[in-house]
Amino acid sequence: MTRRLSHQLALLCLLAPTASAQQPTMTAHFIDVGQGHATLLEFPCGAMLVDAGSDEEHLTALSGYLTTFFARRGDLNRILDVVLITHNHIDHTRSLRDVVEGFNVTRYIDNGFDSGPGTGNPNWLRREVSAGRRGTVIRAIDLTAVTSVSDHGGLTDAEIDPFSCTDIDPQVHILWGRADSTVDWSSSDFDNQNNHSLVTRIDFGEASYLFMGDLQEAAIESMIQLYPAAVDGVLDIDVLQVGHHGSHNATIPVLLDAVTPVLAVIPMGAWTFGRGSAAQFTTFAYGHARQNVVELLSAAITRRRSQSRSVMVGTGSRQFTATTVRKAIYATGWDGTVRVVGTADGRFTVYREY
């Protein structure tokens, strides 16, 4: 038995009884791209990518993973039905051009920002489409489009959600988009592009997932006001992508009260990335994931990992301490690529590939 396979089997997270062969399944592949985010959503009839980031040490990780994935899923013909970029920061867009050039991207969605250090690849794709060299459909989502939906259930249509499988119809809804100046934020909060992240909910039968991008406190509070739990439960999901790589400013109690996650995954680098260096944009410099976030998640989540794990968590920038994680909290920096397999009746099994 290989070391990788033994880890997968040993660290199977038994959140529910094993899925039966008859149950349709969806897999969320939280890919280890270092200090960045990229999650591949695998449906029975298609695939969607949320973010295409990496750090400098994982430049080929995403394209390599997708190559292996499509070799297994030959029926998908190397097609990504949707690539959704939560916001145009480099740790979410660095590998976008590799993905577009290496695979068939049918639809591209982002928040429309076109300036800043992470916009090079999105702007390149827009130029390619404008020049007629690529047929990708491009869509920019702002908050006005989201809030104009009459049922207040999030924005969806055939471009955002092209999936309709034989035995199940996955649902994709965008719950937050690029805000305009009417939001009641400070100027610094408004100028922070993290607060304009697309937030996306995926439903696969009774299984639900929420992708937060890097949304921070001001926008989180505004989003919760938009979707009050007592009215619609739009934010109440099972699997939470923890926002902003586990930063102290993106996971707050009121969010967890609304979301009530069964399990959570933090996309981030190994805590040693940047250790001994003066570089600012590293896991070590950021202090990810923060201890207070892990503690908040531990208090909110009742399920447990199949095996507890000793990890390093940040107490501040460049400051870490050891802790033991017992709850169903995973991180790509601790566990490598994390695969969350959900069934249509809302059961989950988690594998890690460390």
Side-chain angles (χ1 to χ4, degrees):
M1 181 180 292
T2 66
R3 179 178 181 272
R4 184 173 182 176
L5 179 59
S6 66
H7 273 291
Q8 286 185 347
L9 295 177
L11 290 155
L12 189 68
C13 181
L14 298 178
L15 295 178
T18 304
S20 67
Q22 290 74 33
Q23 276 286 321
T25 63
M26 164 192 166
T27 301
H29 305 249
F30 294 86
I31 302 168
D32 181 10
V33 292
Q35 184 64 24
H37 176 237
T39 296
L40 173 68
L41 304 178
E42 176 187 0
F43 304 111
C45 62
M48 174 177 178
L49 184 66
V50 180
D51 284 332
S54 76
D55 63 29
E56 298 88 342
E57 296 183 356
H58 293 77
L59 295 177
T60 63
L62 178 55
S63 57
Y65 194 93
L66 291 174
T67 296
T68 301
F69 167 75
F70 282 117
R72 176 175 62 81
R73 287 297 307 269
D75 58 303
L76 299 182
N77 298 311
R78 297 173 68 87
I79 295 173
L80 288 165
D81 298 280
V82 178
V83 172
L84 183 148
I85 300 296
T86 58
H87 62 298
N88 291 327
H89 278 169
I90 192 66
D91 53 336
H92 296 255
T93 65
R94 181 179 271 115
S95 297
L96 177 62
R97 182 165 179 168
D98 289 344
V99 169
V100 173
E101 292 184 329
F103 307 92
N104 301 314
V105 176
T106 306
R107 301 163 187 84
Y108 172 80
I109 298 171
D110 68 10
N111 64 9
F113 277 94
D114 59 5
S115 62
T119 58
N121 284 336
N123 289 344
W124 164 82
L125 177 55
R126 283 184 162 85
R127 290 193 301 269
E128 288 284 291
V129 172
S130 179
R133 290 187 290 268
R134 298 187 185 276
T136 303
V137 174
I138 294 182
R139 181 88 170 271
I141 304 295
D142 61 29
L143 188 56
T144 301
V146 175
T147 57
S148 65
V149 176
S150 58
D151 67 0
H152 302 289
L155 178 65
T156 190
D157 54 37
E159 291 176 357
I160 295 168
D161 179 9
F163 305 102
S164 182
C165 306
T166 300
D167 296 325
I168 192 169
D169 183 13
Q171 302 289 313
V172 182
H173 289 81
I174 296 176
L175 306 184
W176 192 259
R178 184 184 74 251
D180 61 26
S181 58
T182 61
V183 293
D184 185 20
W185 299 344
S186 69
S187 58
S188 61
D189 285 332
F190 186 81
D191 291 341
N192 183 349
Q193 197 189 128
N194 288 334
N195 284 327
H196 302 268
S197 295
L198 303 186
V199 174
T200 307
R201 174 175 176 140
I202 312 292
D203 288 275
F204 187 81
E206 297 299 315
S208 54
Y209 306 72
L210 189 66
F211 292 86
M212 292 292 299
D214 283 358
L215 212 67
Q216 293 182 201
E217 292 168 331
I220 290 170
E221 291 170 355
S222 295
M223 183 176 68
I224 290 171
Q225 292 174 11
L226 184 62
Y227 303 108
V231 176
D232 47 37
V234 170
L235 296 175
D236 189 7
I237 51 83
D238 301 312
V239 180
L240 174 67
Q241 173 249 311
V242 177
H244 204 188
H245 318 285
S247 173
H248 68 283
N249 54 19
T251 302
I252 56 179
V254 67
L255 174 67
L256 296 178
D257 287 345
V259 172
T260 67
V262 171
L263 66 97
V265 183
I266 309 171
M268 59 176 237
W271 79 277
T272 52
F273 173 56
R275 188 182 185 188
S277 161
Q280 296 180 349
F281 304 111
T282 67
T283 311
F284 187 75
Y286 287 129
H288 290 163
R290 287 298 175 95
Q291 182 179 35
N292 71 301
V293 169
V294 174
E295 290 173 349
L296 284 170
L297 290 167
S298 295
I301 293 171
T302 59
R303 307 281 183 129
R304 291 180 173 267
R305 295 174 63 116
S306 60
Q307 294 181 353
S308 61
R309 181 171 176 82
S310 178
V311 301
M312 299 295 287
V313 293
T315 57
S317 174
R318 304 177 189 274
Q319 300 174 35
F320 284 80
T321 189
T323 192
T324 300
V325 178
R326 297 179 174 85
K327 296 296 184 66
I329 306 165
Y330 299 83
T332 53
W334 309 335
D335 298 304
T337 293
V338 177
R339 294 187 291 118
V340 180
V341 181
T343 63
D345 61 356
R347 297 177 293 170
F348 298 93
T349 308
V350 179
Y351 302 86
R352 69 174 196 143
E353 300 176 9
Y354 185 70

